[in-house]
Amino acid sequence: MGVVSWIVLGLIAGVIAKALMPGKDPGGCIITILLGIGGAFVGGWIGKTLFHTQLGTFFDLRTWGLAVLGALVILTGYRLIVGDRRRD
């Protein structure tokens, strides 16, 4: 996939992950894109390690599912780490 495809995938996967886990998270559009791109990398690793599958093409449903799954993992990890700091 090209750079533009990664940015679009990142934006959409990040938005979907934030919609599935609503709450107060920092960042705007750029952070959401980075969340989705990082989620695609994490999701690709999860898919390769656990399910023995790889990211496919841009229009492949498997690619989108793994990207959103990875973004949810990153978002959950962020909330576990930073969530305790905000309560102080």
Side-chain angles (χ1 to χ4, degrees):
M1 288 196 305
V3 175
V4 175
S5 298
W6 277 103
I7 292 171
V8 171
L9 174 71
L11 176 63
I12 295 172
V15 167
I16 291 171
K18 282 188 171 185
L20 290 174
M21 289 184 66
K24 286 195 165 204
D25 294 312
C29 186
I30 300 297
I31 298 299
T32 302
I33 290 172
L34 292 175
L35 170 69
I37 292 173
F41 283 113
V42 171
W45 178 80
I46 290 171
K48 185 173 139 184
T49 304
L50 298 179
F51 306 120
H52 304 292
T53 185
Q54 303 258 351
L55 291 176
T57 61
F58 182 78
F59 294 105
D60 192 359
L61 186 61
R62 174 182 56 208
T63 301
W64 290 90
L66 287 173
V68 171
L69 174 68
L72 287 171
V73 168
I74 292 174
L75 198 54
T76 301
Y78 171 80
R79 288 185 181 178
L80 288 174
I81 292 170
V82 177
D84 292 337
R85 293 183 191 168
R86 288 188 176 181
R87 291 184 187 146
D88 292 340

